[in-house]
Amino acid sequence: MRLVLASKNPHKLREMAHILKELGLEVVLESEVGVDVDVEETGTTFLENAALKARAVMEASGMAAIADDSGLAVDALDGAPGVYSARYGSLKSDEARTAHLLEAMADVPAGKRSARFVCAIVCCLPDGREIRAQGSCEGEILFSPRGENGFGYDPVFYVPQLQKTFAEAGEGEKSAISHRGRALREFVNAWKETTTC
Ligand code: IMP
């Protein structure tokens, strides 16, 4: 079965395609099936936004569609940047958004810098069925960036379990415990349950 990924991001395609292959699912970008929908992320939760994206692409393509929505929730900032992670401070680059985050947390002492990455995945099937999954990963926000890998807020997200930031971790090491890796594995189980009943 083919699933359309409601995203224009080839990095997400690579991460998802790898895990979903084991279910016999081939994931393709919306551009590969001639679909180009710009969905406004008006939801207040990651699940709502993922559902908005998956539904819109399923309706536009007539095919099963999968979407994810993710972000960083910092306790000292009451959960910000949260669903606004990709547009935090209306800034255009990962580096600028990360610097903005560090500035906002300049007065937050060590020990009070807990945060988590959250990822929600929703898959909409043309017959109306919807499969949902969510994953999170706990960590702490450092005072300055460390590491060259990954993207987004990875260089300031320190994971005690790894004793390094996500940007210092390898790809496999990250996805073994990351919010996206966990959400995808939960999705795999939910898919098996839904499609066998
Ligand atoms: P979206 O899920 O494409 O709407 O974007 C989520 C935003 O959250 C990204 O632009 C990043 O800023 C941030 N984010 C989500 N997952 C990660 C991650 O694994 N590492 C670093 N930043 C992330």
Side-chain angles (χ1 to χ4, degrees), residues 58-157:
M58 185 272 287
E59 280 164 10
S61 65
M63 296 168 66
I66 185 167
D68 88 332
D69 196 58
S70 53
L72 178 69
V74 178
D75 293 322
L77 302 178
D78 294 327
V83 291
Y84 305 106
S85 293
R87 337 160 228 173
Y88 190 41
S90 302
L91 293 159
K92 300 276 179 240
S93 71
D94 281 346
E95 291 75 18
R97 286 186 288 268
T98 301
H100 187 59
L101 174 71
L102 292 181
E103 230 172 86
M105 296 185 66
D107 296 333
V108 182
K112 296 208 183 300
R113 300 176 68 92
S114 54
R116 69 206 48 77
F117 271 122
V118 180
C119 175
I121 293 178
V122 175
C123 176
C124 293
L125 304 178
D127 64 11
R129 281 181 296 173
E130 217 173 87
I131 302 165
R132 294 172 165 226
Q134 218 172 173
S136 64
C137 179
E138 299 289 325
E140 289 154 26
I141 304 301
L142 295 181
F143 287 88
S144 55
R146 265 171 42 185
E148 306 294 329
N149 304 330
F151 69 102
Y153 303 95
D154 277 351
V156 293
F157 190 75

